[in-house]
Amino acid sequence: MTTQLQSVYKQNSMQTASPGELTLMLYNGCLKFIKQANKAIEENNVEGRSHSIQRAQDIIRELMVTLKTDSEAAENMMRLYDFILNRLIEANVKNDAKALQDAEELVIQFRDMWKEVIQLDRKERHGEGGKA
């Protein structure tokens, strides 16, 4: 697929995605940037590490801004997002692969949990079927 077609596909996917699917895309994007940052740490690529971690931080900040903290569960999520953000900052400032791994593990847990929520919601609304 050409780069232009990929861009059009991504744009269409985002425009037709539900809010839940958009959140899932954010988690996946964050994980992609964390993996890129980890590779940059292994290669001692300071610029690549910094760029990738900053992109992951931007995604976590977006998740924080859009989170409605009107429940105890949401407040706990906000604290975990804040922890992830701090681990990303530490990974960037200290070139710390362990801090990056800590952030990655939590984002994976959020992503997997969110994926299950989407699947359960689809089953309730549309019967058996739909995968996220």
Side-chain angles (χ1 to χ4, degrees):
M1 199 181 281
T2 67
T3 304
Q4 188 176 17
L5 285 175
Q6 288 173 334
S7 179
V8 169
Y9 176 77
K10 283 182 185 179
Q11 188 68 26
N12 286 340
S13 294
M14 288 189 300
Q15 289 174 349
T16 60
S18 70
E21 290 166 330
L22 288 173
T23 300
L24 186 60
M25 287 178 190
L26 286 172
Y27 287 133
N28 284 328
C30 187
L31 289 169
K32 177 184 90 171
F33 290 121
I34 289 172
K35 287 182 189 330
Q36 289 174 357
N38 192 46
K39 185 176 182 203
I41 286 174
E42 290 171 1
E43 296 171 353
N44 205 24
N45 177 352
V46 175
E47 186 177 331
R49 177 198 75 221
S50 180
H51 175 76
S52 295
I53 290 177
Q54 286 174 1
R55 298 287 304 269
Q57 288 172 320
D58 290 343
I59 291 171
I60 296 299
R61 285 187 184 104
E62 180 65 22
L63 289 165
M64 292 172 86
V65 167
T66 59
L67 181 64
K68 293 178 184 146
T69 54
D70 55 356
S71 69
E72 186 177 339
E75 288 177 16
N76 289 335
M77 280 181 72
M78 182 64 79
R79 283 192 281 278
L80 287 170
Y81 283 155
D82 191 49
F83 179 78
I84 292 167
L85 187 61
N86 285 322
R87 296 306 283 162
L88 289 170
I89 291 168
E90 190 169 331
N92 203 9
V93 171
K94 296 182 179 178
N95 197 39
D96 186 344
K98 173 67 172 114
L100 194 60
Q101 181 183 357
D102 292 345
E104 180 181 34
E105 289 171 1
L106 282 171
V107 175
I108 287 170
Q109 289 177 22
F110 272 116
R111 191 261 331 261
D112 291 349
M113 177 185 67
W114 199 251
K115 199 173 182 179
E116 285 183 40
V117 167
I118 290 171
Q119 289 174 345
L120 289 172
D121 180 60
R122 283 183 183 163
K123 283 181 183 177
E124 285 181 14
R125 288 188 295 134
H126 306 292
E128 298 298 316
K131 294 239 183 224

